Amino acid sequence: MQHISYFCLKRLCDELQKNIASEKITLSDCYSQNKDELVLEFNIANIAFYWRISCSPEFQYIVPEKGLKRAHQNSITLFEDILQQPIQEVIVPNNDRCILFLFGNQVVLQIKMYGNRSNILLFEAGQVIDCFRKKLSSDWESQLPDSRPSPTVIYDKQLKQEATFLISQGKLPEEVNNYLINSCLNGSVCLVKQSGGIQFWLVKPTSVSGEIREFTDFQTGLIAFVRENYRLRRFSTLFTQTNSTLIGEKKWLEHKIQDSENQEQLMSDCSYELFGNLILAHLPGIQPKQKSLCVWNFEHTQEVEISLKPELAAVANAQRYFQKNKRQRIQLEYINQQIDKYFGRLCEVDAALSELNSCTTLSLLKDYRERFQNLFREKKQVEDTEILPYRKYEYAGYTIWVGKNAAANDKMTVQYARKDDLWLHARDVSGSHTIIKKKSGSQFPDFVIEYAAGLAAYFSKAKNATLVSVSFTPKKYVRKHKRHLPGQVTLDREEVILVPPLRPEKEML
């Protein structure tokens, strides 16, 4: 990390110290408008210049800027006690990664670039009186570093690597040490781009390979490094986010396809049309109030047991199964449409994933996301889940609401549900009201009622039972009186279904 090494900080301060010797320099402003980033505004002969300092644990730097505009909002002034005060001296303690700005009355502003513990401290009479990153509690007990002269030593790993390489080429250690120190303090700087990222070098390296850009001006090279580093970080973050989004979408689509195919198989295995035809074929043998019919299918390959409603005549029971078959065909058509839609989107996701690795730069990645923008569009929240009194689920094209608590049950049932919606609740235990939203022109399929009843059972005190009795009725038969407690209602009529509690899939957005 040569960009925050002693040599780099020394070169940053040398020019400033030269100006202090001839002109009066003041710290005219000090503010923060981004997390863990501080801006120092210096003034010399009514000309402003800036240092942008990042103490972020992810990436630390000090970079000079010629012009910065302070935001009108979301910015805060810091270290006000030293604003408009002349800077008497700037010191970089030898071999240390910090800068000391000396003001009058024993006031010192310390910028310490200590990796993920980088911070900016204000001292008075040797004691810390203010701190930029206040969460670093140990910094309040910090002491000023020793600024007495000492021999310059190379600590940086990159420079040590370069020194080892040069010595291996036959050069003397003392000669190599003097060469590196002189180059670091006075020479050109280089950016080395490798597959793993970009490195800042205060010397032109011979021990590493990669694309090398050389800058004769130190500040220009430092600015280029910070900007290129940010570009690479933005690319890495966006690439990871893109890959994660696509993989998550693929898994979700595969799950939905499997779930839809399972529903299709279950519905195909249950032939309501066959039940109706078998009832008609055995009319003479069906007795009044008979509860079931056990006969062989027309191919005599399988014995079929058909449930009958005893209060209905045999022909009416057959008609009931023909109506169920009609609704089942509609549901099967919808499920097949959903499967086709999921497969189409899955093909898009697979195509996008196969092309992602060809995006090697930020501009290519942005163009890529633009071409596949429908895959990265933010999921639209139709309603605010923090305000809505219910959880929202989808099953076989039907929307199901589940109340969040007693007060939410009342609000959902009374204010949100319509009279033709189907209302469900676990019998004789406290639990969530559950609503199946009515679809125009269709009845509630039995398997959808069973699914919603399973949710009502799961979101009740009986969630650990094997089977739970669940009442269901059109919402228009649910009454809420003033004397009722929160969540309590009266039913004018109801039907009961016995189902196991069903743990739901993830909520809809």
Side-chain angles (χ1 to χ4, degrees):
M1 303 201 301
Q2 293 186 40
H3 68 286
I4 55 171
S5 67
Y6 159 76
F7 300 106
C8 188
L9 301 184
K10 186 78 167 62
R11 292 183 72 165
L12 271 172
C13 295
D14 279 349
E15 194 66 32
L16 201 59
Q17 183 60 36
K18 289 177 185 176
N19 290 325
I20 289 175
S22 57
E23 299 282 351
K24 178 182 176 182
I25 296 182
T26 59
L27 184 64
S28 54
D29 202 359
C30 177
Y31 61 90
S32 177
Q33 55 192 20
N34 295 306
K35 183 180 179 182
D36 292 330
E37 184 180 275
L38 188 74
V39 174
L40 300 181
E41 180 182 335
F42 301 99
N43 188 286
I44 177 170
N46 294 323
I47 298 175
F49 61 97
Y50 306 83
W51 276 11
R52 188 155 48 92
I53 307 168
S54 171
C55 296
S56 168
E58 289 77 31
F59 183 41
Q60 311 85 40
Y61 59 81
I62 303 176
V63 63
E65 301 277 3
K66 291 184 179 179
L68 285 176
K69 290 185 178 180
R70 181 171 179 173
H72 294 295
Q73 297 179 337
N74 300 322
S75 68
I76 181 171
T77 301
L78 301 171
F79 304 121
E80 295 184 59
D81 292 344
I82 56 174
L83 297 185
Q84 308 304 328
Q85 298 296 317
I87 300 172
Q88 296 181 350
E89 190 176 1
V90 182
I91 299 174
V92 180
N94 218 23
N95 304 314
D96 203 348
R97 290 183 293 164
C98 75
I99 299 173
L100 305 178
F101 289 92
L102 276 58
F103 298 85
N105 299 321
Q106 295 185 303
V107 175
V108 179
L109 183 69
Q110 180 190 27
I111 303 172
K112 59 176 190 176
M113 307 306 289
Y114 293 173
N116 60 9
R117 297 193 62 81
S118 296
N119 206 353
I120 302 168
L121 311 176
L122 184 64
F123 289 81
E124 184 175 359
Q127 300 295 317
V128 178
I129 60 171
D130 203 356
C131 174
F132 177 45
R133 294 179 67 198
K134 292 180 171 55
K135 61 184 178 182
L136 300 178
S137 55
S138 61
D139 280 353
W140 291 96
E141 305 299 326
S142 294
Q143 301 294 320
L144 285 169
D146 187 357
S147 57
R148 290 176 296 180
S150 60
T152 303
V153 180
I154 295 175
Y155 291 113
D156 185 81
K157 290 181 179 179
Q158 293 174 211
L159 292 176
K160 284 185 175 182
Q161 173 187 327
E162 182 69 12
T164 301
F165 179 79
L166 292 175
I167 291 171
S168 70
Q169 299 297 307
K171 295 185 178 181
L172 297 175
E174 186 177 352
E175 178 186 350
V176 169
N177 191 66
N178 292 335
Y179 159 74
L180 291 177
I181 291 174
N182 183 63
S183 297
C184 287
L185 292 174
N186 303 292
S188 59
V189 297
C190 296
L191 305 188
V192 181
K193 192 171 183 180
Q194 300 172 315
S195 58
I198 189 168
Q199 293 181 344
F200 179 80
W201 283 79
L202 289 162
V203 299
K204 188 171 183 178
T206 56
S207 59
V208 297
S209 59
E211 179 188 338
I212 298 178
R213 292 171 58 197
E214 188 172 1
F215 298 83
T216 55
D217 181 72
F218 164 73
Q219 291 193 3
T220 302
L222 183 59
I223 293 169
F225 166 72
V226 171
R227 289 178 179 171
E228 183 65 21
N229 194 287
Y230 264 117
R231 273 195 291 270
L232 291 175
R233 285 173 177 270
R234 286 201 302 273
F235 169 77
S236 177
T237 301
L238 188 59
F239 186 93
T240 302
Q241 176 190 342
T242 300
N243 188 60
S244 177
T245 299
L246 290 174
I247 290 175
E249 183 76 0
K250 181 175 181 177
K251 289 181 179 179
W252 183 81
L253 288 168
E254 289 173 342
H255 171 75
K256 296 300 290 184
I257 290 171
Q258 184 63 51
D259 186 56
S260 298
E261 288 177 342
N262 290 342
Q263 290 181 43
E264 182 184 34
Q265 185 61 46
L266 286 172
M267 294 173 70
S268 298
D269 291 343
C270 182
S271 176
Y272 292 131
E273 184 177 19
L274 173 63
F275 294 171
N277 287 326
L278 287 172
I279 292 172
L280 293 178
H282 293 82
L283 281 177
I286 300 176
Q287 303 299 319
K289 296 187 179 181
Q290 187 172 328
K291 293 184 178 181
S292 64
L293 175 65
C294 190
V295 294
W296 288 89
N297 62 12
F298 291 113
E299 292 80 15
H300 289 274
T301 57
Q302 183 181 3
E303 194 173 17
V304 180
E305 184 175 359
I306 305 170
S307 176
L308 302 175
K309 284 197 171 183
E311 67 271 18
L312 298 179
V315 174
N317 269 301
Q319 188 62 34
R320 183 169 66 91
Y321 278 111
F322 289 138
Q323 288 294 328
K324 281 189 173 186
N325 181 66
K326 184 179 178 180
R327 293 195 295 269
Q328 187 184 67
R329 286 202 308 269
I330 295 172
Q331 290 303 314
L332 277 171
E333 183 179 351
Y334 172 80
I335 289 173
N336 284 324
Q337 289 174 355
Q338 290 296 100
I339 290 175
D340 290 341
K341 185 179 76 172
Y342 293 145
F343 266 118
R345 188 168 176 87
L346 183 59
C347 289
E348 286 187 71
V349 172
D350 284 335
L353 277 170
S354 64
E355 193 179 328
L356 180 59
N357 287 330
S358 63
C359 300
T360 55
T361 65
L362 186 61
S363 60
L364 287 175
L365 186 56
K366 287 181 177 179
D367 290 342
Y368 164 90
R369 288 178 65 92
E370 183 68 25
R371 283 188 289 110
F372 292 101
Q373 60 179 321
N374 62 310
L375 299 179
F376 303 104
R377 201 171 294 144
E378 293 294 330
K379 292 186 182 293
K380 183 180 179 183
Q381 292 196 358
V382 180
E383 295 160 295
D384 189 345
T385 55
E386 293 301 319
I387 297 176
L388 291 176
Y390 53 79
R391 304 173 184 88
K392 192 174 180 181
Y393 303 95
E394 183 181 19
Y395 182 72
Y398 283 82
T399 300
I400 301 171
W401 297 346
V402 179
K404 293 181 177 179
N405 50 52
N409 283 339
D410 288 343
K411 190 173 183 180
M412 178 187 73
T413 299
V414 175
Q415 298 181 23
Y416 285 80
R418 296 178 180 270
K419 65 177 183 178
D420 292 330
D421 296 338
L422 195 67
W423 183 93
L424 305 93
H425 191 280
R427 295 193 81 196
D428 303 325
V429 293
S430 60
S432 295
H433 294 191
T434 303
I435 295 289
I436 306 176
K437 296 299 293 177
K438 174 73 173 175
K439 289 178 65 174
S440 179
S442 65
Q443 299 298 317
F444 296 104
D446 291 343
F447 65 91
V448 175
I449 295 175
E450 290 175 6
Y451 181 85
L455 294 182
Y458 180 80
F459 288 102
S460 74
K461 293 292 186 181
K463 65 181 292 184
N464 295 319
T466 304
L467 291 172
V468 180
S469 296
V470 177
S471 301
F472 65 95
T473 186
K475 187 264 176 183
K476 61 186 176 183
Y477 298 124
V478 180
R479 309 296 181 196
K480 178 72 180 178
H481 301 296
K482 290 183 179 179
R483 65 177 182 274
H484 282 153
L485 297 173
Q488 189 177 17
V489 294
T490 298
L491 306 183
D492 291 346
R493 65 175 68 175
E494 65 176 319
E495 293 182 67
V496 179
I497 186 173
L498 197 62
V499 296
L502 177 64
R503 184 183 181 89
E505 297 180 11
K506 62 181 180 181
E507 296 179 40
M508 292 173 59
L509 294 178

